[in-house]
Amino acid sequence: MEKNYKNIKIIVKGSYGCASATAADIIGGFVTAQPSGVLGLATGSTPEGAYTKLIEAHRTGKLDFSRITSFNLDEYHPIENTNSQSYVYYMRDKLFNHINIDPANTHLPNGEAPDPHAECAVYEAKIAAAGGIGLQVLGIGLNGHIGFNEPATAFPRATNYVELEASTINANARFFDNADDVPKHALTMGIGTIFSAKQILLVVTGAAKADIVNEAIFGDITPQVPASILQLHPNVTLVMDESAAAKVLENLK
Ligand code: PGA
């Protein structure tokens, strides 16, 4: 199912696998059209399927990442790059080590930086120097966060140092031995950084996200639901599986 709502192209697929294939097609389409473009990437469970499909497409000779630059949304702080729960480790493990992207062209906020505020400024400047993000891949948190921009009283503009909400720590505890090991802070692109991307791909899967994605698309535009800002962006594609789309489909009737 495909439908446009405001500037958002909504695509609903029958399963996580089909939604991942569609997300990978959109990312692959960008890489083909803009072989030296700038990709904004995300971590978490949601994009793993799409990354697997991109690896397959690269292995069969369909995608060349050799001139692509990438910037990831976020990273815990503090965390060592060698920690298997760091996002830099995730990206190498799930994507970078399996495609021909130049490691020198891949960027994440540095979870080892001694001064997190200074690192935010450095990261924002690197994105600006690369000409901004061409296609930004996003997931959504159960609390409506994008990147690690948690519900707040204002939309953070640039890359910022954040304290994670208890709900985010609980949601991410599944990856750690226990919840106390989840870092309490993170470095994240700001809402302004994300919003400046020319194109946005929001991927949302699973029944647990049905309420929050519905609120983000049809609710008030408010920093209490950071993803709601996407209602104002001129070029958003929202890819969902049927379980995540349940409430959105009701509203589209
Ligand atoms: P998830 O995380 O893909 O692991 O659900 C998404 C997010 O928190 O942004």
Side-chain angles (χ1 to χ4, degrees), residues 178-202:
N178 67 70
D180 289 342
D181 294 342
V182 185
K184 307 291 178 282
H185 292 84
L187 308 163
T188 179
M189 282 187 198
I191 293 291
T193 327
I194 295 168
F195 198 82
S196 298
K198 291 179 192 70
Q199 187 185 348
I200 287 179
L201 169 61
L202 173 61

Side-chain angles (χ1 to χ4, degrees), residues 43-47 139-142 145-148 172 174-175 209:
T43 50
S45 302
T46 310
I140 188 172
L142 290 169
H145 74 201
I146 47 177
F148 270 135
N172 290 3
R174 68 191 194 274
F175 299 114
K209 302 276 180 71

Side-chain angles (χ1 to χ4, degrees), residues 221-250:
I221 298 166
T222 164
Q224 286 299 318
V225 183
S228 64
I229 195 81
L230 300 176
Q231 293 180 39
L232 299 176
H233 192 279
N235 189 348
V236 179
T237 305
L238 166 59
V239 176
M240 291 179 282
D241 63 4
E242 273 172 1
S243 38
K247 295 257 164 75
V248 169
L249 288 175
E250 283 297 309

